[in-house]
PDB file of all heavy atoms in Angstrom:
ATOM      1  N   TYR B 330     -49.051  -8.363  14.343  1.00 85.00           N
ATOM      2  CA  TYR B 330     -48.439  -7.734  15.497  1.00 85.00           C
ATOM      3  C   TYR B 330     -48.297  -6.264  15.350  1.00 85.00           C
ATOM      4  O   TYR B 330     -48.425  -5.487  16.270  1.00 85.00           O
ATOM      5  CB  TYR B 330     -47.013  -8.372  15.644  1.00 85.00           C
ATOM      6  CG  TYR B 330     -47.063  -9.754  16.114  1.00 85.00           C
ATOM      7  CD1 TYR B 330     -46.090 -10.714  15.692  1.00 85.00           C
ATOM      8  CD2 TYR B 330     -48.121 -10.241  16.948  1.00 85.00           C
ATOM      9  CE1 TYR B 330     -46.118 -12.055  16.128  1.00 85.00           C
ATOM     10  CE2 TYR B 330     -48.135 -11.608  17.289  1.00 85.00           C
ATOM     11  CZ  TYR B 330     -47.163 -12.424  16.960  1.00 85.00           C
ATOM     12  OH  TYR B 330     -47.221 -13.773  17.301  1.00 85.00           O
ATOM     13  N   HIS B 331     -48.081  -5.816  14.080  1.00 84.00           N
ATOM     14  CA  HIS B 331     -48.091  -4.374  13.780  1.00 84.00           C
ATOM     15  C   HIS B 331     -49.396  -3.729  14.081  1.00 84.00           C
ATOM     16  O   HIS B 331     -49.539  -2.676  14.666  1.00 84.00           O
ATOM     17  CB  HIS B 331     -47.582  -4.083  12.360  1.00 84.00           C
ATOM     18  CG  HIS B 331     -46.199  -4.310  12.085  1.00 84.00           C
ATOM     19  ND1 HIS B 331     -45.629  -4.119  10.851  1.00 84.00           N
ATOM     20  CD2 HIS B 331     -45.176  -4.629  12.997  1.00 84.00           C
ATOM     21  CE1 HIS B 331     -44.288  -4.418  10.961  1.00 84.00           C
ATOM     22  NE2 HIS B 331     -44.024  -4.656  12.177  1.00 84.00           N
ATOM     23  N   HIS B 332     -50.341  -4.490  13.680  1.00 80.00           N
ATOM     24  CA  HIS B 332     -51.706  -4.014  13.728  1.00 80.00           C
ATOM     25  C   HIS B 332     -52.218  -4.024  15.230  1.00 80.00           C
ATOM     26  O   HIS B 332     -52.955  -3.162  15.605  1.00 80.00           O
ATOM     27  CB  HIS B 332     -52.600  -5.008  12.888  1.00 80.00           C
ATOM     28  CG  HIS B 332     -53.923  -4.514  12.643  1.00 80.00           C
ATOM     29  ND1 HIS B 332     -54.225  -3.337  11.914  1.00 80.00           N
ATOM     30  CD2 HIS B 332     -55.182  -4.960  13.050  1.00 80.00           C
ATOM     31  CE1 HIS B 332     -55.517  -3.133  11.864  1.00 80.00           C
ATOM     32  NE2 HIS B 332     -56.124  -4.126  12.544  1.00 80.00           N
ATOM     33  N   ARG B 333     -51.780  -4.984  15.915  1.00 79.00           N
ATOM     34  CA  ARG B 333     -52.255  -5.158  17.269  1.00 79.00           C
ATOM     35  C   ARG B 333     -51.125  -5.406  18.248  1.00 79.00           C
ATOM     36  O   ARG B 333     -50.871  -6.506  18.590  1.00 79.00           O
ATOM     37  CB  ARG B 333     -53.192  -6.345  17.371  1.00 79.00           C
ATOM     38  CG  ARG B 333     -54.471  -6.263  16.618  1.00 79.00           C
ATOM     39  CD  ARG B 333     -55.609  -6.576  17.541  1.00 79.00           C
ATOM     40  NE  ARG B 333     -56.914  -6.696  16.892  1.00 79.00           N
ATOM     41  CZ  ARG B 333     -57.970  -6.283  17.517  1.00 79.00           C
ATOM     42  NH1 ARG B 333     -57.957  -5.725  18.626  1.00 79.00           N
ATOM     43  NH2 ARG B 333     -59.135  -6.441  16.831  1.00 79.00           N
ATOM     44  N   PRO B 334     -50.475  -4.345  18.653  1.00 76.00           N
ATOM     45  CA  PRO B 334     -49.356  -4.512  19.534  1.00 76.00           C
ATOM     46  C   PRO B 334     -49.692  -5.290  20.695  1.00 76.00           C
ATOM     47  O   PRO B 334     -48.832  -5.920  21.409  1.00 76.00           O
ATOM     48  CB  PRO B 334     -48.906  -3.070  19.846  1.00 76.00           C
ATOM     49  CG  PRO B 334     -50.030  -2.262  19.373  1.00 76.00           C
ATOM     50  CD  PRO B 334     -50.745  -3.010  18.379  1.00 76.00           C
ATOM     51  N   ALA B 335     -50.909  -5.249  21.190  1.00 77.00           N
ATOM     52  CA  ALA B 335     -51.308  -5.963  22.403  1.00 77.00           C
ATOM     53  C   ALA B 335     -50.920  -7.445  22.277  1.00 77.00           C
ATOM     54  O   ALA B 335     -50.457  -7.982  23.299  1.00 77.00           O
ATOM     55  CB  ALA B 335     -52.804  -5.863  22.648  1.00 77.00           C
ATOM     56  N   PHE B 336     -51.097  -7.998  21.107  1.00 78.00           N
ATOM     57  CA  PHE B 336     -50.816  -9.422  20.892  1.00 78.00           C
ATOM     58  C   PHE B 336     -49.400  -9.721  21.378  1.00 78.00           C
ATOM     59  O   PHE B 336     -49.082 -10.704  21.990  1.00 78.00           O
ATOM     60  CB  PHE B 336     -50.890  -9.780  19.433  1.00 78.00           C
ATOM     61  CG  PHE B 336     -52.234  -9.832  18.937  1.00 78.00           C
ATOM     62  CD1 PHE B 336     -53.360  -9.319  19.610  1.00 78.00           C
ATOM     63  CD2 PHE B 336     -52.534 -10.564  17.760  1.00 78.00           C
ATOM     64  CE1 PHE B 336     -54.592  -9.401  19.140  1.00 78.00           C
ATOM     65  CE2 PHE B 336     -53.802 -10.594  17.342  1.00 78.00           C
ATOM     66  CZ  PHE B 336     -54.820 -10.036  17.965  1.00 78.00           C
ATOM     67  N   VAL B 337     -48.483  -8.815  21.050  1.00 76.00           N
ATOM     68  CA  VAL B 337     -47.101  -9.108  21.274  1.00 76.00           C
ATOM     69  C   VAL B 337     -46.891  -9.349  22.761  1.00 76.00           C
ATOM     70  O   VAL B 337     -46.236 -10.324  23.190  1.00 76.00           O
ATOM     71  CB  VAL B 337     -46.232  -7.869  20.858  1.00 76.00           C
ATOM     72  CG1 VAL B 337     -44.798  -8.131  21.137  1.00 76.00           C
ATOM     73  CG2 VAL B 337     -46.416  -7.663  19.351  1.00 76.00           C
ATOM     74  N   VAL B 338     -47.457  -8.486  23.529  1.00 75.00           N
ATOM     75  CA  VAL B 338     -47.311  -8.599  24.965  1.00 75.00           C
ATOM     76  C   VAL B 338     -48.002  -9.781  25.501  1.00 75.00           C
ATOM     77  O   VAL B 338     -47.497 -10.652  26.307  1.00 75.00           O
ATOM     78  CB  VAL B 338     -47.726  -7.366  25.722  1.00 75.00           C
ATOM     79  CG1 VAL B 338     -47.450  -7.404  27.192  1.00 75.00           C
ATOM     80  CG2 VAL B 338     -47.051  -6.103  25.103  1.00 75.00           C
ATOM     81  N   ILE B 339     -49.281  -9.886  25.169  1.00 75.00           N
ATOM     82  CA  ILE B 339     -50.124 -10.921  25.716  1.00 75.00           C
ATOM     83  C   ILE B 339     -49.555 -12.254  25.294  1.00 75.00           C
ATOM     84  O   ILE B 339     -49.434 -13.196  26.095  1.00 75.00           O
ATOM     85  CB  ILE B 339     -51.548 -10.835  25.133  1.00 75.00           C
ATOM     86  CG1 ILE B 339     -52.185  -9.542  25.676  1.00 75.00           C
ATOM     87  CG2 ILE B 339     -52.347 -12.078  25.589  1.00 75.00           C
ATOM     88  CD1 ILE B 339     -53.269  -9.087  24.808  1.00 75.00           C
ATOM     89  N   TRP B 340     -49.239 -12.390  24.054  1.00 71.00           N
ATOM     90  CA  TRP B 340     -48.809 -13.608  23.548  1.00 71.00           C
ATOM     91  C   TRP B 340     -47.602 -14.243  24.248  1.00 71.00           C
ATOM     92  O   TRP B 340     -47.502 -15.395  24.435  1.00 71.00           O
ATOM     93  CB  TRP B 340     -48.547 -13.488  21.990  1.00 71.00           C
ATOM     94  CG  TRP B 340     -48.733 -14.721  21.260  1.00 71.00           C
ATOM     95  CD1 TRP B 340     -47.710 -15.415  20.573  1.00 71.00           C
ATOM     96  CD2 TRP B 340     -49.884 -15.547  21.068  1.00 71.00           C
ATOM     97  NE1 TRP B 340     -48.165 -16.469  19.996  1.00 71.00           N
ATOM     98  CE2 TRP B 340     -49.543 -16.628  20.268  1.00 71.00           C
ATOM     99  CE3 TRP B 340     -51.146 -15.407  21.530  1.00 71.00           C
ATOM    100  CZ2 TRP B 340     -50.465 -17.614  19.876  1.00 71.00           C
ATOM    101  CZ3 TRP B 340     -52.113 -16.379  21.200  1.00 71.00           C
ATOM    102  CH2 TRP B 340     -51.686 -17.458  20.381  1.00 71.00           C
ATOM    103  N   TRP B 341     -46.677 -13.347  24.676  1.00 65.00           N
ATOM    104  CA  TRP B 341     -45.532 -13.910  25.413  1.00 65.00           C
ATOM    105  C   TRP B 341     -45.526 -13.642  26.917  1.00 65.00           C
ATOM    106  O   TRP B 341     -45.470 -14.612  27.656  1.00 65.00           O
ATOM    107  CB  TRP B 341     -44.265 -13.375  24.753  1.00 65.00           C
ATOM    108  CG  TRP B 341     -44.163 -13.937  23.388  1.00 65.00           C
ATOM    109  CD1 TRP B 341     -44.125 -15.232  23.083  1.00 65.00           C
ATOM    110  CD2 TRP B 341     -44.274 -13.212  22.210  1.00 65.00           C
ATOM    111  NE1 TRP B 341     -44.148 -15.364  21.696  1.00 65.00           N
ATOM    112  CE2 TRP B 341     -44.213 -14.157  21.139  1.00 65.00           C
ATOM    113  CE3 TRP B 341     -44.314 -11.880  21.829  1.00 65.00           C
ATOM    114  CZ2 TRP B 341     -44.184 -13.792  19.802  1.00 65.00           C
ATOM    115  CZ3 TRP B 341     -44.284 -11.511  20.563  1.00 65.00           C
ATOM    116  CH2 TRP B 341     -44.240 -12.443  19.553  1.00 65.00           C
ATOM    117  N   ARG B 342     -45.664 -12.430  27.261  1.00 59.00           N
ATOM    118  CA  ARG B 342     -45.664 -12.217  28.657  1.00 59.00           C
ATOM    119  C   ARG B 342     -46.876 -12.874  29.340  1.00 59.00           C
ATOM    120  O   ARG B 342     -46.845 -13.282  30.447  1.00 59.00           O
ATOM    121  CB  ARG B 342     -45.735 -10.647  28.996  1.00 59.00           C
ATOM    122  CG  ARG B 342     -44.635  -9.873  28.297  1.00 59.00           C
ATOM    123  CD  ARG B 342     -43.261 -10.264  28.734  1.00 59.00           C
ATOM    124  NE  ARG B 342     -42.299  -9.224  28.447  1.00 59.00           N
ATOM    125  CZ  ARG B 342     -41.686  -9.111  27.255  1.00 59.00           C
ATOM    126  NH1 ARG B 342     -41.979  -9.960  26.313  1.00 59.00           N
ATOM    127  NH2 ARG B 342     -40.903  -8.121  27.020  1.00 59.00           N
ATOM    128  N   GLY B 343     -47.954 -12.877  28.595  1.00 60.00           N
ATOM    129  CA  GLY B 343     -49.232 -13.358  29.122  1.00 60.00           C
ATOM    130  C   GLY B 343     -49.160 -14.845  29.446  1.00 60.00           C
ATOM    131  O   GLY B 343     -50.035 -15.364  30.202  1.00 60.00           O
ATOM    132  N   ARG B 344     -48.157 -15.545  28.928  1.00 64.00           N
ATOM    133  CA  ARG B 344     -48.137 -16.936  29.219  1.00 64.00           C
ATOM    134  C   ARG B 344     -47.806 -17.320  30.574  1.00 64.00           C
ATOM    135  O   ARG B 344     -47.723 -18.474  30.891  1.00 64.00           O
ATOM    136  CB  ARG B 344     -47.184 -17.599  28.146  1.00 64.00           C
ATOM    137  CG  ARG B 344     -47.791 -17.485  26.820  1.00 64.00           C
ATOM    138  CD  ARG B 344     -47.160 -18.379  25.817  1.00 64.00           C
ATOM    139  NE  ARG B 344     -47.271 -17.784  24.530  1.00 64.00           N
ATOM    140  CZ  ARG B 344     -46.590 -18.263  23.416  1.00 64.00           C
ATOM    141  NH1 ARG B 344     -45.729 -19.207  23.548  1.00 64.00           N
ATOM    142  NH2 ARG B 344     -46.847 -17.667  22.299  1.00 64.00           N
ATOM    143  N   THR B 345     -47.511 -16.350  31.353  1.00 66.00           N
ATOM    144  CA  THR B 345     -47.366 -16.542  32.752  1.00 66.00           C
ATOM    145  C   THR B 345     -48.595 -17.249  33.325  1.00 66.00           C
ATOM    146  O   THR B 345     -48.509 -18.137  34.165  1.00 66.00           O
ATOM    147  CB  THR B 345     -47.242 -15.116  33.392  1.00 66.00           C
ATOM    148  OG1 THR B 345     -46.016 -14.580  32.968  1.00 66.00           O
ATOM    149  CG2 THR B 345     -47.229 -15.287  34.885  1.00 66.00           C
ATOM    150  N   ASN B 346     -49.722 -16.789  32.814  1.00 73.00           N
ATOM    151  CA  ASN B 346     -50.936 -17.299  33.318  1.00 73.00           C
ATOM    152  C   ASN B 346     -51.177 -18.710  32.741  1.00 73.00           C
ATOM    153  O   ASN B 346     -51.115 -18.950  31.554  1.00 73.00           O
ATOM    154  CB  ASN B 346     -52.072 -16.388  32.787  1.00 73.00           C
ATOM    155  CG  ASN B 346     -53.383 -16.846  33.205  1.00 73.00           C
ATOM    156  OD1 ASN B 346     -53.861 -17.931  32.815  1.00 73.00           O
ATOM    157  ND2 ASN B 346     -54.060 -16.082  34.041  1.00 73.00           N
ATOM    158  N   PRO B 347     -51.437 -19.675  33.622  1.00 72.00           N
ATOM    159  CA  PRO B 347     -51.476 -21.044  33.218  1.00 72.00           C
ATOM    160  C   PRO B 347     -52.533 -21.347  32.130  1.00 72.00           C
ATOM    161  O   PRO B 347     -52.242 -22.035  31.186  1.00 72.00           O
ATOM    162  CB  PRO B 347     -51.890 -21.817  34.500  1.00 72.00           C
ATOM    163  CG  PRO B 347     -51.491 -20.871  35.630  1.00 72.00           C
ATOM    164  CD  PRO B 347     -51.628 -19.527  35.134  1.00 72.00           C
ATOM    165  N   SER B 348     -53.695 -20.705  32.304  1.00 77.00           N
ATOM    166  CA  SER B 348     -54.690 -21.054  31.285  1.00 77.00           C
ATOM    167  C   SER B 348     -54.313 -20.504  29.902  1.00 77.00           C
ATOM    168  O   SER B 348     -54.570 -21.110  28.924  1.00 77.00           O
ATOM    169  CB  SER B 348     -56.140 -20.720  31.640  1.00 77.00           C
ATOM    170  OG  SER B 348     -56.118 -19.560  32.483  1.00 77.00           O
ATOM    171  N   VAL B 349     -53.738 -19.270  29.977  1.00 80.00           N
ATOM    172  CA  VAL B 349     -53.336 -18.617  28.767  1.00 80.00           C
ATOM    173  C   VAL B 349     -52.172 -19.500  28.131  1.00 80.00           C
ATOM    174  O   VAL B 349     -52.232 -19.763  26.964  1.00 80.00           O
ATOM    175  CB  VAL B 349     -52.824 -17.229  28.962  1.00 80.00           C
ATOM    176  CG1 VAL B 349     -52.190 -16.713  27.685  1.00 80.00           C
ATOM    177  CG2 VAL B 349     -53.927 -16.326  29.418  1.00 80.00           C
ATOM    178  N   TYR B 350     -51.322 -19.908  29.028  1.00 79.00           N
ATOM    179  CA  TYR B 350     -50.260 -20.761  28.497  1.00 79.00           C
ATOM    180  C   TYR B 350     -50.728 -21.947  27.795  1.00 79.00           C
ATOM    181  O   TYR B 350     -50.336 -22.274  26.655  1.00 79.00           O
ATOM    182  CB  TYR B 350     -49.357 -21.195  29.740  1.00 79.00           C
ATOM    183  CG  TYR B 350     -48.114 -21.883  29.282  1.00 79.00           C
ATOM    184  CD1 TYR B 350     -46.965 -21.219  28.927  1.00 79.00           C
ATOM    185  CD2 TYR B 350     -48.117 -23.282  29.260  1.00 79.00           C
ATOM    186  CE1 TYR B 350     -45.832 -21.906  28.477  1.00 79.00           C
ATOM    187  CE2 TYR B 350     -46.986 -23.999  28.827  1.00 79.00           C
ATOM    188  CZ  TYR B 350     -45.853 -23.275  28.457  1.00 79.00           C
ATOM    189  OH  TYR B 350     -44.698 -23.945  28.113  1.00 79.00           O
ATOM    190  N   ASP B 351     -51.632 -22.638  28.479  1.00 80.00           N
ATOM    191  CA  ASP B 351     -52.216 -23.837  27.883  1.00 80.00           C
ATOM    192  C   ASP B 351     -52.870 -23.566  26.578  1.00 80.00           C
ATOM    193  O   ASP B 351     -52.742 -24.270  25.515  1.00 80.00           O
ATOM    194  CB  ASP B 351     -53.232 -24.508  28.804  1.00 80.00           C
ATOM    195  CG  ASP B 351     -52.473 -25.097  29.967  1.00 80.00           C
ATOM    196  OD1 ASP B 351     -51.233 -25.242  29.947  1.00 80.00           O
ATOM    197  OD2 ASP B 351     -53.137 -25.345  31.020  1.00 80.00           O
ATOM    198  N   PHE B 352     -53.621 -22.507  26.574  1.00 84.00           N
ATOM    199  CA  PHE B 352     -54.330 -22.097  25.350  1.00 84.00           C
ATOM    200  C   PHE B 352     -53.347 -21.881  24.204  1.00 84.00           C
ATOM    201  O   PHE B 352     -53.567 -22.399  23.043  1.00 84.00           O
ATOM    202  CB  PHE B 352     -55.192 -20.911  25.538  1.00 84.00           C
ATOM    203  CG  PHE B 352     -55.973 -20.473  24.321  1.00 84.00           C
ATOM    204  CD1 PHE B 352     -57.169 -21.097  24.036  1.00 84.00           C
ATOM    205  CD2 PHE B 352     -55.470 -19.575  23.451  1.00 84.00           C
ATOM    206  CE1 PHE B 352     -57.824 -20.738  22.860  1.00 84.00           C
ATOM    207  CE2 PHE B 352     -56.125 -19.191  22.319  1.00 84.00           C
ATOM    208  CZ  PHE B 352     -57.434 -19.831  21.995  1.00 84.00           C
ATOM    209  N   CYS B 353     -52.245 -21.129  24.507  1.00 84.00           N
ATOM    210  CA  CYS B 353     -51.297 -20.814  23.471  1.00 84.00           C
ATOM    211  C   CYS B 353     -50.667 -22.121  22.927  1.00 84.00           C
ATOM    212  O   CYS B 353     -50.508 -22.273  21.696  1.00 84.00           O
ATOM    213  CB  CYS B 353     -50.277 -19.899  23.979  1.00 84.00           C
ATOM    214  SG  CYS B 353     -50.877 -18.198  24.264  1.00 84.00           S
ATOM    215  N   ARG B 354     -50.270 -22.953  23.830  1.00 83.00           N
ATOM    216  CA  ARG B 354     -49.730 -24.246  23.454  1.00 83.00           C
ATOM    217  C   ARG B 354     -50.745 -25.023  22.526  1.00 83.00           C
ATOM    218  O   ARG B 354     -50.295 -25.491  21.510  1.00 83.00           O
ATOM    219  CB  ARG B 354     -49.281 -25.075  24.630  1.00 83.00           C
ATOM    220  CG  ARG B 354     -48.109 -24.549  25.383  1.00 83.00           C
ATOM    221  CD  ARG B 354     -46.909 -24.346  24.458  1.00 83.00           C
ATOM    222  NE  ARG B 354     -46.803 -25.434  23.535  1.00 83.00           N
ATOM    223  CZ  ARG B 354     -46.322 -26.617  23.846  1.00 83.00           C
ATOM    224  NH1 ARG B 354     -45.781 -26.842  24.996  1.00 83.00           N
ATOM    225  NH2 ARG B 354     -46.315 -27.605  22.956  1.00 83.00           N
ATOM    226  N   ALA B 355     -51.919 -25.006  22.975  1.00 87.00           N
ATOM    227  CA  ALA B 355     -52.913 -25.751  22.202  1.00 87.00           C
ATOM    228  C   ALA B 355     -53.030 -25.126  20.822  1.00 87.00           C
ATOM    229  O   ALA B 355     -53.156 -25.824  19.806  1.00 87.00           O
ATOM    230  CB  ALA B 355     -54.244 -25.781  22.929  1.00 87.00           C
ATOM    231  N   HIS B 356     -53.024 -23.871  20.801  1.00 89.00           N
ATOM    232  CA  HIS B 356     -53.205 -23.091  19.534  1.00 89.00           C
ATOM    233  C   HIS B 356     -52.029 -23.408  18.634  1.00 89.00           C
ATOM    234  O   HIS B 356     -52.219 -23.767  17.476  1.00 89.00           O
ATOM    235  CB  HIS B 356     -53.305 -21.660  19.824  1.00 89.00           C
ATOM    236  CG  HIS B 356     -53.460 -20.868  18.551  1.00 89.00           C
ATOM    237  ND1 HIS B 356     -52.466 -20.046  18.042  1.00 89.00           N
ATOM    238  CD2 HIS B 356     -54.468 -20.811  17.652  1.00 89.00           C
ATOM    239  CE1 HIS B 356     -52.928 -19.523  16.895  1.00 89.00           C
ATOM    240  NE2 HIS B 356     -54.100 -19.947  16.625  1.00 89.00           N
ATOM    241  N   ASN B 357     -50.804 -23.315  19.150  1.00 89.00           N
ATOM    242  CA  ASN B 357     -49.658 -23.682  18.319  1.00 89.00           C
ATOM    243  C   ASN B 357     -49.764 -25.042  17.762  1.00 89.00           C
ATOM    244  O   ASN B 357     -49.456 -25.270  16.632  1.00 89.00           O
ATOM    245  CB  ASN B 357     -48.397 -23.469  19.190  1.00 89.00           C
ATOM    246  CG  ASN B 357     -47.939 -22.067  19.255  1.00 89.00           C
ATOM    247  OD1 ASN B 357     -48.516 -21.169  18.570  1.00 89.00           O
ATOM    248  ND2 ASN B 357     -46.953 -21.822  20.106  1.00 89.00           N
ATOM    249  N   LYS B 358     -50.229 -25.923  18.518  1.00 91.00           N
ATOM    250  CA  LYS B 358     -50.392 -27.327  18.176  1.00 91.00           C
ATOM    251  C   LYS B 358     -51.443 -27.419  17.027  1.00 91.00           C
ATOM    252  O   LYS B 358     -51.174 -28.105  16.012  1.00 91.00           O
ATOM    253  CB  LYS B 358     -50.846 -28.131  19.319  1.00 91.00           C
ATOM    254  CG  LYS B 358     -50.610 -29.632  19.224  1.00 91.00           C
ATOM    255  CD  LYS B 358     -50.713 -30.311  20.595  1.00 91.00           C
ATOM    256  CE  LYS B 358     -50.286 -31.742  20.461  1.00 91.00           C
ATOM    257  NZ  LYS B 358     -50.128 -32.327  21.852  1.00 91.00           N
ATOM    258  N   ARG B 359     -52.502 -26.724  17.128  1.00 91.00           N
ATOM    259  CA  ARG B 359     -53.513 -26.708  16.122  1.00 91.00           C
ATOM    260  C   ARG B 359     -53.002 -26.058  14.786  1.00 91.00           C
ATOM    261  O   ARG B 359     -53.176 -26.568  13.767  1.00 91.00           O
ATOM    262  CB  ARG B 359     -54.737 -26.009  16.581  1.00 91.00           C
ATOM    263  CG  ARG B 359     -55.945 -26.183  15.718  1.00 91.00           C
ATOM    264  CD  ARG B 359     -57.291 -25.967  16.409  1.00 91.00           C
ATOM    265  NE  ARG B 359     -57.230 -24.777  17.247  1.00 91.00           N
ATOM    266  CZ  ARG B 359     -57.296 -23.541  16.762  1.00 91.00           C
ATOM    267  NH1 ARG B 359     -57.369 -23.303  15.449  1.00 91.00           N
ATOM    268  NH2 ARG B 359     -57.304 -22.467  17.498  1.00 91.00           N
ATOM    269  N   VAL B 360     -52.293 -24.981  14.922  1.00 90.00           N
ATOM    270  CA  VAL B 360     -51.725 -24.335  13.768  1.00 90.00           C
ATOM    271  C   VAL B 360     -50.792 -25.352  13.104  1.00 90.00           C
ATOM    272  O   VAL B 360     -50.833 -25.481  11.879  1.00 90.00           O
ATOM    273  CB  VAL B 360     -51.007 -23.071  14.180  1.00 90.00           C
ATOM    274  CG1 VAL B 360     -50.092 -22.656  13.010  1.00 90.00           C
ATOM    275  CG2 VAL B 360     -51.882 -21.957  14.602  1.00 90.00           C
TER     276      VAL B 360
END
Side-chain angles (χ1 to χ4, degrees):
Chain B
Y330 292 145
H331 285 176
H332 192 65
R333 292 233 191 218
F336 286 19
V337 177
V338 185
I339 296 159
W340 205 242
W341 294 300
R342 306 300 198 275
R344 291 194 207 170
T345 294
N346 178 295
S348 33
V349 171
Y350 184 86
D351 290 343
F352 181 85
C353 288
R354 289 303 321 280
H356 179 251
N357 277 351
K358 201 162 186 169
R359 191 156 45 73
V360 167

